[in-house]
């Protein structure tokens, strides 16, 4: 907005730019005029050199005066304290004006808020009467006769539960159930939704008084280790249940929301447990035998250790994959102490434990290995209800050694100088239980067993040469 007369302001840069443009246009006009006179020399239209020099001198003097004034104006703006003081005063006044505006807005909204937080007028005499006498004489007789009935009578409970069970079954038939949910049953109006090895939820209808919405009654996780299942704190379970109920109420497929949230929570807890157990093994008697690193941090070069996964979900209840990734774990074993650390991890076999694209825990070995008991491809997996990383490592080591012994056996059978017939190169297996097992391995679980795999080779018609190593495998 334009100010009053005498109070308009112009930026110094605009003044300088305008002066430079005017000087440029004047110089250009002078040059064009001289060029036109030079072209019209044959027609007799020509000025003397003195007149040209006088015009040029006038232009130089006029431009010099203008630039000198700009220079004086610029130095005056920098040196006069009044300008700085006025600028500071203007800034202060602007800040005060903003504060006054914000204060007025805050007072306006506070006035509306105070209308809702006003203390009600308590009926103190009636409260004293109820406290001392235990009754209220002013209560109407009709209300006193009606009384309050919070629960159903015994003969009314069974028909009510039967009707509620019918409503729950009808609601389940109308709702799409994910294929991952293995069990859905209804008993006494309560739906039992369960996924093996992950979670179990008891639900019914009646969320916030709406009988078409689902309400969670109880929720428990089936993820754990040998010490027991993982239990959620009471406050955390209530908060999680309330959040799931709210998301299911506005979703078109509520059971998919339920499964997505709890499944990702279980997978996060499983990976946290795997990382923690691996760190315990690395600090214990597996200290020099294994090395581990997070798959999500391999490329960034960060150190080893656990990572607390945090579940991030979008507004619709689906997983937000843009900023959320459950970390995986890579565990190397059979480390070579002679090599460097980098070459050691590149050459040693490893197990990779991570959540795949289908959000299922997968265990992959670095190479193809065979199960010593079935001679088929080894199935390396983790029991979510009893997570045991050490048992997984021992099984992988046993399968890897068995596979290598089979390769050695195959090569020895091809050697005509060592083996004369296939029966002279035999891979035998002996099982040792109880005390014999405890001598080799420091463990107190009698259900485990130690398998001695021995490769017997007859060389040059002599007695058998035994090649092998003790391999512990866990059922």
């Amino acid at each position: 907005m334009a100010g009053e007369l005498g109070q308009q302001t112009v930026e110094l840069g605009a003044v300088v730019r305008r002066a430079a443009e005017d000087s440029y246009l004047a110089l250009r006009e002078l040059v064009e005029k001289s060029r036109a006179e030079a072209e019209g020399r044959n027609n007799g239209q020509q000025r003397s050199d003195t007149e040209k020099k006088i015009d040029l001198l006038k232009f130089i003097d006029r431009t010099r005066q203008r630039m000198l004034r700009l220079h004086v104006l610029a130095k005056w703006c920098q040196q006069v304290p009044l300008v700085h003081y006025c600028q500071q005063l203007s800034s202060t006044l602007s800040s005060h004006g903003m504060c006054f505006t914000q204060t007025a807005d805050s007072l306006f909204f506070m006035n509306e808020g105070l209308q809702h937080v006003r203390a009600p007028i308590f009926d103190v005499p009636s409260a004293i009467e109820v406290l001392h006498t235990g009754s209220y004489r002013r209560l109407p007789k009709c209300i006193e006769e009606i009384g309050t009935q919070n629960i159903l009578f015994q003969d009314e409970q069974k028909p009510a539960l039967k009707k509620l069970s019918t409503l729950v079954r009808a609601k389940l038939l109308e709702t799409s159930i994910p294929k991952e949910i293995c069990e859905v049953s209804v008993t006494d109006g309560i739906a039992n939704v369960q996924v093996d090895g992950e979670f179990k939820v008891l639900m019914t209808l009646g969320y916030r008084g709406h009988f078409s919405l689902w309400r969670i009654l109880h929720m428990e996780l089936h993820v754990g280790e040998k010490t027991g299942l993982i239990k959620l704190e009471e406050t955390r379970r209530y908060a999680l249940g309330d959040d799931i109920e709210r998301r299911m109420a506005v979703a078109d497929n509520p059971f998919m929301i339920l499964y997505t949230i709890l499944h990702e929570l279980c997978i996060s807890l499983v990976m946290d447990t795997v990382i923690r157990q691996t760190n315990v093994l690395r600090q214990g008697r597996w200290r020099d035998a294994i090395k581990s690193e997070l798959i999500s941090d391999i490329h960034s070069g960060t150190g080893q250790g656990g990572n607390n996964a945090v579940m991030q979900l979008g507004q619709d209840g689906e997983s937000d994959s843009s900023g959320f990734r459950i970390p995986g774990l890579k565990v190397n074993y059979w480390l070579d102490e002679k090599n460097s650390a980098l070459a050691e991890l590149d050459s040693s076999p490893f197990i990779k434990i991570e959540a795949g694209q289908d959000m299922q825990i997968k265990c992959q070995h670095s190479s193809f290995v065979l199960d010593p008991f079935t001679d088929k491809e080894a199935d390396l997996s983790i029991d979510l209800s009893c997570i045991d990383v050490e048992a997984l490592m021992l099984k992988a080591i046993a399968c890897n050694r068995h596979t290598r012994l089979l390769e050695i056996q195959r090569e020895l059978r091809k050697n005509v100088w060592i083996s004369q017939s296939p029966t002279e190169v035999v891979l035998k297996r002996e099982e040792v239980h109880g005390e014999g097992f405890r001598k080799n391995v420091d463990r107190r679980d009698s259900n485990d067993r130690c398998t001695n795999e021995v490769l017997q080779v007859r060389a040059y018609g002599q007695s058998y040469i035994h090649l092998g190593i003790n391999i512990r495998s866990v059922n």
Side-chain angles (χ1 to χ4, degrees):
M1 297 177 60
E4 297 180 0
L5 187 61
Q7 296 184 357
Q8 295 101 344
T9 58
V10 180
E11 294 184 359
L12 182 60
V15 177
V16 174
R17 183 168 58 254
R18 186 178 301 174
E21 291 176 355
D22 292 344
S23 300
Y24 171 76
L25 293 175
L27 179 61
R28 184 174 181 180
E29 182 180 356
L30 186 61
V31 172
E32 292 291 340
K33 186 176 181 180
S34 300
R35 182 180 300 172
E37 290 177 356
E39 293 176 354
R41 179 177 302 176
N42 298 332
N43 299 329
Q45 298 177 0
Q46 184 178 4
R47 292 188 303 168
S48 61
D49 293 340
T50 303
E51 293 177 351
K52 293 180 179 179
K53 291 179 180 180
I54 290 174
D55 292 342
L56 182 60
L57 184 60
K58 288 180 180 180
F59 167 75
I60 293 174
D61 183 66
R62 185 167 58 254
T63 304
R64 180 177 177 274
Q65 290 293 332
R66 180 176 293 177
M67 296 303 172
L68 183 60
R69 290 168 186 162
L70 289 176
H71 177 67
V72 172
L73 180 61
K75 296 194 67 175
W76 178 83
C77 292
Q78 295 178 356
Q79 295 177 359
V80 177
L82 182 60
V83 176
H84 296 285
Y85 180 75
C86 291
Q87 292 177 351
Q88 294 176 1
L89 184 61
S90 176
S91 177
T92 303
L93 292 176
S94 177
S95 177
H96 287 178
M98 186 180 299
C99 291
F100 289 146
T101 303
Q102 292 179 355
T103 303
D105 295 340
S106 300
L107 290 175
F108 174 76
F109 291 112
M110 184 185 297
N111 182 41
E112 291 188 351
L114 291 176
Q115 301 297 328
H116 300 285
V117 298
R118 289 182 302 177
I121 301 176
F122 295 102
D123 189 3
V124 179
S126 299
I128 295 176
E129 179 183 355
V130 173
L131 181 63
H132 287 279
T133 63
S135 62
Y136 183 59
R137 292 178 298 175
R138 297 182 178 86
L139 186 67
K141 191 67 176 176
C142 58
I143 299 179
E144 186 178 356
E145 292 176 354
I146 294 175
T148 56
Q149 183 69 29
N150 295 327
I151 60 176
L152 299 175
F153 292 107
Q154 191 68 26
D155 56 344
E156 297 176 346
Q157 292 182 4
K158 190 173 181 180
L161 291 177
K162 184 178 180 181
K163 183 177 180 180
L164 181 59
S165 298
T166 304
L167 293 176
V168 172
R169 289 190 179 93
K171 187 66 176 179
L172 288 175
L173 293 176
E174 298 174 358
T175 307
S176 176
I177 306 296
K179 61 180 181 179
E180 292 82 4
I181 298 180
C182 60
E183 179 181 347
V184 179
S185 59
V186 179
T187 304
D188 293 335
I190 299 176
N192 180 11
V193 181
Q194 184 172 347
V195 176
D196 287 342
E198 293 191 12
F199 60 86
K200 174 184 177 182
V201 182
L202 300 180
M203 309 173 61
T204 187
L205 296 175
Y207 173 64
R208 295 186 178 181
H210 299 280
F211 290 98
S212 61
L213 303 179
W214 291 101
R215 175 187 174 190
I216 296 179
L217 301 178
H218 181 69
M219 179 171 50
E220 62 184 25
L221 300 180
H222 292 172
V223 176
E225 43 190 337
K226 288 187 175 182
T227 57
L229 299 178
I230 298 177
K231 295 183 179 180
L232 295 176
E233 298 178 358
E234 198 75 12
T235 56
R236 186 180 180 186
R237 188 171 71 247
Y238 286 151
L240 180 61
D242 182 71
D243 182 65
I244 294 176
E245 288 176 342
R246 178 175 55 83
R247 293 174 184 270
M248 292 177 65
V250 298
D252 296 333
N253 193 349
F255 280 89
M256 179 58 71
I257 301 298
L258 172 70
Y259 172 76
T260 301
I261 297 177
L262 293 182
H263 176 66
E264 291 189 2
L265 175 61
C266 292
I267 296 301
S268 300
L269 294 176
V270 168
M271 289 308 306
D272 282 347
T273 305
V274 169
I275 294 172
R276 178 174 51 81
Q277 288 187 2
T278 305
N279 291 334
V280 172
L281 293 178
R282 289 180 56 249
Q283 297 173 2
R285 59 191 181 93
W286 290 71
R287 180 183 298 106
D288 300 327
I290 61 174
K291 284 187 178 296
S292 64
E293 57 183 331
L294 295 180
I295 296 178
S296 58
D297 295 339
I298 290 177
H299 301 291
S300 59
T302 57
Q304 305 166 357
N307 184 21
N308 293 326
V310 180
M311 182 175 58
Q312 301 176 355
L313 297 174
Q315 294 297 330
D316 56 351
E318 299 296 335
S319 60
D320 185 6
S321 59
S322 60
F324 171 65
R325 183 180 185 276
I326 299 178
L329 187 67
K330 177 182 177 183
V331 185
N332 295 75
Y333 62 93
W334 283 354
L335 306 178
D336 189 357
E337 299 179 356
K338 298 180 180 180
N339 297 334
S340 62
L342 182 59
E344 180 180 335
L345 295 180
D346 291 340
S347 60
S348 60
F350 62 85
I351 301 176
K352 186 186 297 184
I353 307 172
E354 61 180 345
Q357 296 294 335
D358 55 351
M359 290 301 296
Q360 299 292 337
I361 298 296
K362 296 182 180 180
C363 303
Q364 299 178 353
H365 197 270
S366 57
S367 60
F368 179 81
V369 291
L370 296 174
D371 193 325
F373 296 100
T374 62
D375 284 332
K376 297 181 180 179
E377 182 178 359
D379 181 18
L380 301 178
S381 60
I382 293 180
D383 185 4
L384 302 186
S385 59
C386 186
I387 304 171
D388 192 347
V389 177
E390 185 178 13
L392 177 65
M393 292 295 303
L394 292 173
K395 182 177 180 180
I397 293 173
C399 295
N400 197 356
R401 286 177 173 173
H402 176 73
T403 305
R404 292 196 177 188
L405 287 176
L406 288 177
E407 294 176 357
I408 296 174
Q409 180 187 21
R410 191 181 305 110
E411 294 297 328
L412 291 177
R413 286 180 175 179
K414 296 178 181 179
N415 195 326
V416 297
W417 297 100
I418 297 178
S419 173
Q420 300 297 328
S421 65
T423 58
E424 294 182 352
V425 181
V426 182
L427 181 62
K428 290 188 175 182
R429 181 184 299 111
E430 299 177 358
E431 295 183 0
V432 180
H433 296 268
E435 296 297 331
F437 172 68
R438 293 172 186 165
K439 293 180 181 179
N440 295 325
V441 182
D442 184 13
R443 189 176 178 90
R444 295 296 180 265
D445 191 353
S446 61
N447 293 328
D448 294 351
R449 60 188 179 186
C450 179
T451 303
N452 300 327
E453 287 192 321
V454 180
L455 189 61
Q456 294 184 348
V457 183
R458 183 187 297 275
Y460 301 102
Q462 301 177 1
S463 60
Y464 282 102
I465 301 175
H466 299 274
L467 302 175
I469 191 167
N470 291 340
I471 303 174
R472 189 179 76 176
S473 78
V474 182
N475 285 332

